[in-house]
Amino acid sequence: MTTLHPGYNFAYLDEQTKRMIRRAILKAVAIPGYQVPFASREMPMPYGWGTGGVQVTAAILGEGDVLKVIDQGSDDTTNAVSIRKFFEKTAGVETTTETARATVIQTRHRIPETALQEGQTIVYQVPIPEPLRFLEPRETETRTMHGLEEYGLMHVKLYEDIATHGHIATTYAYPVKVNGRYLMDPSPTPKFDNPKMDMSPALQLFGAGREKRIYAIPPYTKVVSLDFEDHPFEVNKFDKPCALCAAEGVYLDEVILDDAGGRMFVCSDTDYCETRRAEGHRGEMLGEAPAFVSREPAE
Amino acid sequence: MYVAVKGGAEAIDNAHRLLAHERRGDPAVPEIAARQIDEQLALAVDRVMAEGSLYDRDLAALAIKQARGDLIEAIFLVRAYRTTLPRFGYAEPLDTGAMAIERRVSATYKDLPGGQILGPTFDYTHRLIDFALAAEASIEPPARASDSSAVDAPRVSGLLGDEGLIERNPPGHGDAEIGDLTREPLSFPADRDLRLQNLARGDEGFLLALGYSTQRGYGRNHPFVGEIRFGEVEVEFFAEDAGFAIPMGRIQVTECEMVNQFVGSAETPPQFTRGYGLVFGQSERKAMSMSLVDRALRAREFGEEAKAPAQDEEFVLSHSDNVQSTGFVEHLKLPHYVDFQSELELVRKLRAEHAESRAEDARSPDDGDMMREAAE
Amino acid sequence: MSALTDDLPLLTVDRLGKNYGSRIGCRDVSFELYAGEVLAVVGESGSGKSTLLSLLSTQLQPTAGAIRYRMRDGSVRDVFELSQAERRFLMRTDWGFVHQDAAQGLRMAVSAGANVGERLMAVGDRHYGNIRHAALDWLGRVEIEADRIDDAPRSFSGGMRQRLQIARNLVTNPRLVFMDEPTGGLDVSVQARLLDLLRGLVADLGLSVIIVTHDLAVARLLSHRIMVMRQGRVIETGLTDQVLDDPREPYTQLLVSSVLQV
């Protein structure tokens, strides 16, 4: 384990700040989906790069925790590596890429394919916590709309999608209603992941650093994606299984192989994909894919 | 190459090593010392202290060096450091009336008690590149007043106030605590204490543009520079144990008091109003811009129509912070391919449906388009 | 609704007043409005009629007096004692507001269909087909071609925008509609068509309407009763034809003679 940064508290933040954040988290858990303002601190990474998630993780992390950090579903994207290293350095906790082993998972843009369990906490990095923001730019007005549960405007947006495109054209950050009360932005995860939030046994925490908001979905809470009765919510389906591990019903990344239109689809959740390959599952392009995709050691 | 995205830890380490190398530049050129930056790029240090919200010259100079001269990056470094510092309490209000003045100008009076003191200023210089600076030029020693006693310069706003010509500085809410936006998230509507705090650490360029816009008619407020003063003030801290205020040290600040558009009503006789700016170090541009924007944000208080961007509190306060702005703008560099994949799928699907319906249309020609309603 | 409650006024305004500091917006306004009744408030600009409309529609808080409204459940409530949630709900279900400037009453960047459907969605309608059907129905009733349903009102003429605004308000079958110079700024021929349409809708739906206008011709065409305002006070009130044909107050006489001749 790397030596801890001298001069900094465990997990970077001072204990007073952590207590403040934990109070906000408790309030958020008590009112599922409600955005709790908190005195977000400057962090040593830029706003918009996960400062909200990092503060939430820092506030809940204990010495015995096992941390997994993903970005776009992958453990080794640059920002995930950077945040994981940050906690290795400042908290010295054990880290893992294995979803099932992690007690705390910080994520940007995905929910792991492996179903989360009781006792696990997933921390989402949130850029814009307000689902109504792009329909109504004023905080004072959106606050009133939440207070009075006036969410008609959100359906106006969905109506427009259907009128224009024949479908609801929102593909990520797809709005959900939590516990039958608060409209919530699930962070820019693809809507593919929305059903995983519903009745999840894990605690789901959301941190928005720049916008200074924390919200939460306690375990086993109803999370419903907005839709119309005659245009029900649907998740995107992929035509083919993962080209490397043959997994179906998972979210796939499109990888362009050459400039002649060659492309393949592979699991966005790299840990899931690698685990399956280790178990002997073989996709149709396994072995042919370039090393940067399969992440098998290049010779 | 994908390596850029999925390269992981090693790529990051290498990128940072290269950055350190580039920062140093040609090793044949002597390395710059933080001390040199502090002494010779003092205004850059001032800006980093002001927007970094931490008065520490050495640290700001070091941050500028580390940031390769990128001031917003340096401000960010200072802020991230500042946030980890323990907090003992709040200083007593600064007494800028007792400032050891280095520069003090008023645009509202030709002469006034304490006089106009030009001090170190770019004003009235001809903006010609001084090629002599390319070599080490010898500098004439400054002229010093023979009388070195401190100048007694009452504030212009005080002079106006004695006559009742300018609004009294709002006393605040009596004993109400002054807000602290580093400890409480900003909520709207925000009171003036929080607005001023926000502007004081706000981006100089952003405030400059907003202040400028008020002059060009987007929320005019008829400003006169009552006074700009720059110099050293004492910072005092009230120590509970001792029972009195203890001097902590001296800092340089620039203060701008703008005298603005008068208001009056049946009940109250007309009075000028105020816009206020206070900045660490020497930055008249920032202090003046801040006071213009402060006054613009008081539109509602005076029952003025508030339509211009500079008068829009939520707009101004939510976008003034350059650490927030730069983070969020630059986060677009982070991978977004999961979301993009969703959009890609959808657009492909929509395009396919579009092509299909086009093909159908071609097979069954319409009886003729319905006439669209003519404009009435 | 029983005949018994229909005998009661829908809206009772009791000594309503509004001061702006020392300036009077309007003062001591009292009247009752019954179901199906159209009341025109007329006067020059600055007469206080716009202030009155803002008070009646609860956009302004009065400095004196009260407004009582008979809710759909028959209970009579002081509208300023309703909670914010109740008031906002009332405003998008049982009340309507037609602005002079359609851009204030419409979402200009959103399609005509969504403009009409918004109130339905706001009260919980979650069936796209039904919402669209209701929108088509209402567009037809305000004489907007069905094929404009997916166009944004930005592309509409002034008259169409105004008709769309009316449809957007009426889709929840409100009982009381406020109108602020609904024909202002439109060409004369367009005005005539709009007035015609409004008169038909008001009669068919049995709407109660409070319409503010400086145009006495509009008042004569639409309203049953009229209230003349000057300097913040009501100076004359009565049946529209009576007041316009035989004005008592010298000011009303002046108003009638100067306008109706045109």
Side-chain angles (χ1 to χ4, degrees):
Chain A
M1 193 112 315
T2 347
T3 48
L4 297 192
H5 251 296
Y8 287 104
N9 192 30
F10 175 79
Y12 182 75
L13 292 174
D14 58 284
E15 291 304 313
Q16 216 181 350
T17 297
K18 286 188 195 171
R19 273 196 293 273
M20 176 273 294
I21 294 172
R22 284 182 207 133
R23 278 195 295 271
I25 293 172
L26 284 176
K27 186 167 175 183
V29 169
I31 318 170
Y34 171 75
Q35 299 166 47
V36 182
F38 81 111
S40 175
R41 299 289 195 254
E42 271 102 358
M43 297 299 284
M45 58 275 292
Y47 284 113
W49 298 53
T51 53
V54 168
Q55 288 180 75
V56 169
T57 300
I60 62 169
L61 215 54
E63 278 167 15
D65 272 312
V66 181
L67 178 70
K68 171 182 167 80
V69 183
I70 52 173
D71 186 347
Q72 315 293 303
S74 160
D75 296 273
D76 64 354
T77 42
T78 45
N79 203 43
V81 171
S82 158
I83 291 172
R84 188 166 58 239
K85 273 170 72 174
F86 175 74
F87 282 113
E88 280 170 359
K89 265 196 238 169
T90 59
V93 292
E94 186 187 349
T95 57
T96 182
T97 58
E98 215 179 304
T99 301
R101 271 200 64 224
T103 55
V104 176
I105 301 166
Q106 179 166 334
T107 181
R108 175 168 173 268
H109 293 199
R110 273 313 309 277
I111 302 174
E113 304 292 0
T114 307
L116 300 182
Q117 303 300 324
E118 273 185 27
Q120 287 184 307
T121 302
I122 181 164
V123 179
Y124 298 80
Q125 299 171 203
V126 182
I128 306 272
E130 178 50 71
L132 299 162
R133 180 60 66 238
F134 298 110
L135 303 168
E136 171 54 63
R138 295 201 170 270
E139 177 72 22
T140 34
E141 181 58 22
T142 52
R143 221 162 46 195
T144 307
M145 291 161 90
H146 282 295
L148 302 178
E149 209 178 338
E150 285 183 9
Y151 295 139
L153 196 55
M154 197 76 235
H155 270 89
V156 170
K157 156 86 174 65
L158 302 181
Y159 170 97
E160 285 289 87
D161 276 359
I162 302 173
T164 318
H165 305 296
H167 309 273
I168 293 175
T170 304
T171 56
Y172 59 91
Y174 190 104
V176 294
K177 199 152 188 192
V178 178
N179 202 28
R181 176 58 180 85
Y182 281 98
L183 187 66
M184 192 194 90
D185 182 303
S187 87
T189 48
K191 67 177 181 178
F192 179 90
D193 285 337
N194 275 20
K196 296 180 188 154
M197 308 176 86
D198 182 35
M199 299 305 281
S200 169
L203 170 63
Q204 305 177 68
L205 302 177
F206 299 79
R210 193 176 38 78
E211 300 276 342
K212 304 179 170 56
R213 296 288 184 277
I214 285 172
Y215 51 99
I217 304 173
Y220 302 108
T221 302
K222 229 166 163 37
V223 179
V224 179
S225 303
L226 297 194
D227 60 2
F228 287 102
E229 290 154 19
D230 47 345
H231 283 266
F233 171 81
E234 276 176 355
V235 298
N236 18 357
K237 293 190 187 74
F238 293 88
D239 299 336
K240 286 183 175 179
C242 170
L244 296 177
C245 77
E248 292 187 44
V250 296
Y251 197 85
L252 302 178
D253 283 341
E254 178 170 341
V255 179
I256 299 181
L257 298 172
D258 50 43
D259 54 6
R263 49 173 58 95
M264 64 190 287
F265 290 86
V266 297
C267 283
S268 135
D269 184 338
T270 48
D271 169 63
Y272 183 77
C273 195
E274 280 158 29
T275 309
R276 278 179 58 85
R277 275 181 269 155
E279 288 164 4
H281 296 278
R282 294 187 60 84
E284 60 177 7
M285 290 179 76
L286 188 62
E288 303 166 35
F292 69 81
V293 183
S294 64
R295 300 200 319 150
E296 262 136 39
E299 296 305 318
Chain B
M1 271 308 279
Y2 291 89
V3 182
V5 176
K6 292 215 174 191
E10 201 185 332
I12 294 178
D13 286 343
N14 285 337
H16 292 170
R17 262 172 61 190
L18 181 59
L19 174 72
H21 178 79
E22 293 290 315
R23 185 193 59 68
R24 176 59 184 87
D26 183 351
V29 177
E31 181 165 355
I32 195 169
R35 186 78 204 286
Q36 288 171 302
I37 295 172
D38 182 11
E39 289 296 326
Q40 296 173 43
L41 300 176
L43 298 184
V45 171
D46 284 350
R47 179 169 178 196
V48 170
M49 293 196 304
E51 292 167 38
S53 232
L54 182 70
Y55 197 97
D56 186 329
R57 299 202 73 88
D58 298 341
L59 202 69
L62 185 58
I64 292 170
K65 176 176 174 176
Q66 184 181 335
R68 306 176 66 196
D70 178 338
L71 294 191
I72 292 184
E73 182 67 27
I75 289 161
F76 182 13
L77 288 169
V78 168
R79 287 268 194 95
Y81 177 77
R82 175 195 197 276
T83 196
T84 63
L85 297 176
R87 172 168 307 231
F88 301 114
Y90 296 93
E92 294 292 293
L94 297 179
D95 181 5
T96 52
M99 178 186 284
I101 288 174
E102 287 182 48
R103 171 167 162 80
R104 184 261 195 138
V105 289
S106 168
T108 51
Y109 293 102
K110 184 164 185 241
D111 202 1
L112 65 167
Q116 308 254 19
I117 301 167
L118 288 184
T121 177
F122 291 118
D123 298 351
Y124 318 112
T125 61
H126 296 139
R127 269 58 173 207
L128 303 171
I129 300 244
D130 181 359
F131 292 102
L133 278 182
E136 280 171 34
S138 65
I139 307 294
E140 277 184 65
R144 294 280 180 201
S146 50
D147 177 13
S148 65
S149 63
V151 189
D152 182 22
R155 274 185 300 218
V156 168
S157 59
L159 302 174
L160 284 167
D162 291 343
E163 260 188 90
L165 287 170
I166 194 165
E167 56 164 334
R168 299 182 70 81
N169 248 339
H173 312 288
D175 289 336
E177 244 176 75
I178 296 170
D180 179 349
L181 55 72
T182 68
R183 284 297 176 267
E184 287 294 327
L186 194 60
S187 67
F188 299 107
D191 287 336
R192 196 172 173 210
D193 50 349
L194 290 170
R195 295 201 303 256
L196 286 171
Q197 283 173 26
N198 176 288
L199 298 180
R201 46 161 49 194
D203 183 72
E204 180 175 311
F206 180 72
L207 296 186
L208 175 65
L210 284 173
Y212 176 48
S213 72
T214 67
Q215 291 180 284
R216 290 193 66 260
Y218 291 85
R220 283 191 77 183
N221 53 40
H222 302 274
F224 296 94
V225 169
E227 181 174 0
I228 295 167
R229 53 173 63 199
F230 158 66
E232 270 189 359
V233 291
E234 190 134 279
V235 181
E236 292 184 325
F237 183 77
F238 187 85
E240 291 290 346
D241 308 341
F244 54 85
I246 301 167
M248 307 284 289
R250 300 177 71 79
I251 63 172
Q252 286 186 319
V253 293
T254 308
E255 182 184 53
C256 174
E257 287 203 284
M258 210 59 94
V259 177
N260 295 85
Q261 174 77 45
F262 57 84
V263 292
S265 66
E267 287 90 49
T268 52
Q271 280 187 319
F272 290 109
T273 56
R274 294 166 186 260
Y276 187 74
L278 183 76
V279 186
F280 283 161
Q282 184 176 16
S283 180
E284 284 163 31
R285 186 185 301 122
K286 167 82 184 271
M288 293 173 75
S289 304
M290 177 175 169
S291 57
L292 288 174
V293 177
D294 169 47
R295 178 59 184 80
L297 290 175
R298 298 178 66 200
R300 259 183 309 150
E301 194 184 319
F302 297 116
E304 298 163 345
E305 191 183 44
K307 275 192 170 164
Q311 298 167 317
D312 186 331
E313 174 181 298
E314 286 201 29
F315 178 79
V316 173
L317 302 186
S318 302
H319 303 112
S320 63
D321 190 299
N322 54 25
V323 177
Q324 288 175 11
S325 310
T326 198
F328 200 48
V329 167
E330 294 194 49
H331 108 285
L332 293 172
K333 290 183 283 196
L334 290 179
H336 283 80
Y337 48 77
V338 164
D339 294 344
F340 185 69
Q341 186 68 49
S342 293
E343 294 281 271
L344 211 53
E345 291 292 313
L346 179 70
V347 171
R348 278 188 184 132
K349 183 166 157 193
L350 293 175
R351 286 175 61 88
E353 284 169 2
H354 189 260
E356 225 168 80
S357 75
R358 270 296 173 83
E360 252 169 53
D361 285 352
R363 280 194 296 279
S364 60
D366 211 26
D367 305 334
D369 278 349
M370 294 273 287
M371 284 288 287
R372 296 228 144 174
E373 177 161 352
E376 288 161 322
Chain C
M1 203 171 300
S2 74
L4 193 74
T5 55
D6 266 357
D7 290 345
L8 298 170
L10 188 63
L11 190 76
T12 307
V13 177
D14 187 14
R15 283 164 294 168
L16 201 61
K18 173 75 185 174
N19 297 337
Y20 298 102
S22 54
R23 202 167 58 76
I24 295 167
C26 73
R27 174 178 278 188
D28 210 19
V29 177
S30 298
F31 67 88
E32 290 178 339
L33 185 77
Y34 286 83
E37 203 178 11
V38 179
L39 172 72
V41 182
V42 300
E44 297 171 306
S45 60
S47 62
K49 58 186 196 305
S50 298
T51 298
L52 178 62
L53 193 69
S54 300
L55 289 171
L56 294 174
S57 55
T58 71
Q59 294 168 54
L60 268 183
Q61 198 73 21
T63 34
I67 301 173
R68 282 182 289 280
Y69 182 71
R70 182 158 52 80
M71 311 289 278
R72 282 190 180 183
D73 66 2
S75 65
V76 176
R77 305 279 303 272
D78 182 331
V79 294
F80 291 105
E81 278 166 17
L82 294 174
S83 69
Q84 193 186 14
E86 287 176 311
R87 205 181 308 162
R88 284 170 75 122
F89 185 75
L90 189 68
M91 286 205 289
R92 56 169 198 257
T93 53
D94 209 20
W95 287 6
F97 197 110
V98 177
H99 296 264
Q100 173 174 3
D101 176 9
Q104 276 187 281
L106 294 172
R107 291 193 189 278
M108 297 303 281
V110 161
S111 72
N115 264 288
V116 178
E118 179 170 354
R119 277 179 163 227
L120 296 174
M121 293 183 253
V123 296
D125 205 323
R126 294 291 176 262
H127 191 284
Y128 176 81
N130 293 350
I131 293 164
R132 197 154 171 92
H133 189 265
L136 276 172
D137 178 40
W138 270 102
L139 290 178
R141 289 167 85 164
V142 298
E143 301 169 12
I144 294 176
E145 300 286 349
D147 69 342
R148 303 302 300 271
I149 187 170
D150 294 332
D151 295 345
R154 276 197 294 237
S155 67
F156 287 9
S157 68
M160 282 174 75
R161 287 180 187 185
Q162 214 50 305
R163 282 181 273 134
L164 179 61
Q165 200 192 171
I166 289 161
R168 172 175 162 90
N169 274 283
L170 297 188
V171 68
T172 50
N173 299 311
R175 292 185 300 158
L176 174 60
V177 178
F178 302 98
M179 297 186 187
D180 184 11
E181 306 273 10
T183 59
L186 299 177
D187 292 343
V188 178
S189 63
V190 179
Q191 278 195 20
R193 182 177 174 192
L194 185 65
L195 284 171
D196 226 33
L197 179 84
L198 271 178
R199 193 156 61 159
L201 285 173
V202 166
D204 290 351
L205 303 169
L207 289 178
S208 301
V209 176
I210 296 176
I211 178 168
V212 160
T213 179
H214 70 280
D215 186 343
L216 298 187
V218 170
R220 189 190 283 277
L221 211 59
L222 282 184
S223 71
H224 305 116
R225 280 199 301 146
I226 197 166
M227 234 162 64
V228 184
M229 292 193 72
R230 187 187 185 204
Q231 292 174 351
R233 294 168 188 274
V234 176
I235 57 162
E236 185 161 2
T237 175
L239 295 175
T240 303
D241 290 342
Q242 218 167 45
V243 171
L244 294 185
D245 292 340
D246 182 18
R248 291 186 191 180
E249 290 291 319
Y251 176 77
T252 316
Q253 289 167 5
L254 204 69
L255 215 58
V256 170
S257 64
S258 64
V259 178
L260 282 190
Q261 305 307 323
V262 182

